[in-house]
Amino acid sequence: MSLLSIVIPAYNEERMVPKAAEAIGKVLEKENICYEIIFVNDGSKDNTWAQIEKISQIEKNIIGVHFSRNFGKESAIFAGLANANGDCCVVMDCDLQHPPETLIDMYRLWEKGYEIVEGIKKSRGKESVIHKASAGMFYKIMSKAVKIDMSRASDYKLMDRKAVNALLNMPEKNAFFRALSSWVGFKGTTVEFDVQERTDGESKWSTWSLVKYAITNIVSFSTAPMQFVTVAGVFVFVMGIVLGIQSLCKYFSGHAVEGFTTVILLILLIGSIIMMSLGIIGYYISKIYEEVKGRPRYLISKKVGRKENTIEE
Ligand code: UDP
Ligand code: MG
């Protein structure tokens, strides 16, 4: 019988961990699906790890992975996938905003031979107007970069073992899971789900962390911002030629001193474009530097559950 692994990153989710395990268990046991849950404690500051340890002692099919500090959701997803034993893996949020009932649809589609089943948001749940607008802009840029429509994409998705292994074999550290799992290809389909409201705890994303997240992910998938530097350069060059000819004409016809405004404007314009361009290039270089250092995506300090019993550790 095939095994379904459910990977759940958890950061300060002490109250949601048992609730999530229970809700998932209820749904899957009813359908007789053989499953395991991998909770990845992403350096929580509360009792999340104690909760994971506790339920892993009661339920034999719960695995816990404990990070040495907070490494972020993307790293937690990869750690969960690396510790999963299933023939297929689903990644879902700990806060039950991804309804467990959708797991059944995903699993059935996988049985029919689909290798990637993406959860698509039917509605985005409750969000502020500004959040919606900026998320919309981010996804427009990402969709262009990945060349796949991502406006309703989520991290809730099922992947076949083949796709999981492909992801795990990628050397890059700045991985954007949501887009990479589309990038690998394979035979895919989608299921729709309604984003639920968080019942406990709070969202971990501040506006600033979302902006950083957006920039990192755009940079990891697209070099278009660097092309902006070239375009801006060409634009300034053309302007320079036009103004150059104009001032030469003025010089030879004898009214040269005027036009100080033009000089100031030009200095300001060119200066700002150069600085912006350097900033963009610098950002890419810093990302290259991070990759070159080759540090691990995460460090695990402890593990509990199934693997501990079966595999040497
Ligand atoms: N999460 C994580 N590490 C972090 C931030 C979040 O593992 O640094 C997890 C969190 O526990 C949850 C999921 O990522 O399971 C989604 O987080 P959240 O619900 O805060 O995001 P939102 O639903 O508001 O986008
Ligand atoms: Mg959430």
Side-chain angles (χ1 to χ4, degrees), residues 9 11 13 42 70 73 93-95 97 198 203-205:
Y11 176 57
E13 306 273 10
D42 186 11
N70 180 263
K73 185 180 176 188
D93 281 1
C94 196
D95 51 11
Q97 284 188 301
R198 202 180 231 288
S203 175
K204 310 297 177 303
W205 298 93

Side-chain angles (χ1 to χ4, degrees), residues 87-116:
D87 304 293
C88 58
C89 301
V90 176
V91 174
M92 74 188 273
D93 281 1
C94 196
D95 51 11
L96 292 178
Q97 284 188 301
H98 297 157
E101 293 74 32
T102 312
L103 283 173
I104 310 288
D105 304 340
M106 290 180 164
Y107 188 77
R108 297 291 173 230
L109 284 165
W110 175 73
E111 283 182 324
K112 281 189 198 144
Y114 290 101
E115 287 156 331
I116 292 201

Side-chain angles (χ1 to χ4, degrees), residues 3-7 35-36 38 84-91 161:
L3 175 69
L4 166 67
S5 296
I6 298 157
V7 171
Y35 71 98
E36 66 175 5
I38 300 114
N85 310 295
D87 304 293
C88 58
C89 301
V90 176
V91 174
R161 182 46 52 196

Side-chain angles (χ1 to χ4, degrees), residues 19 53 58 71 92 113 116 121 171 192 199-200 234 241-243 253 258 260 269 276 280-282 297 300-301 305:
K19 281 190 200 170
E53 268 185 325
I58 306 166
F71 281 94
M92 74 188 273
I116 292 201
K121 292 176 190 159
E192 287 196 331
T199 51
D200 221 319
V234 171
I241 289 182
V242 173
L243 281 167
S253 60
E258 273 175 65
F260 213 63
L269 188 72
M276 244 159 47
I280 295 172
I281 295 171
R297 274 195 196 112
I300 294 176
S301 68

Side-chain angles (χ1 to χ4, degrees), residues 239-251:
M239 251 177 34
I241 289 182
V242 173
L243 281 167
I245 291 174
Q246 193 215 22
S247 30
L248 278 180
C249 288
K250 274 196 174 164
Y251 179 77

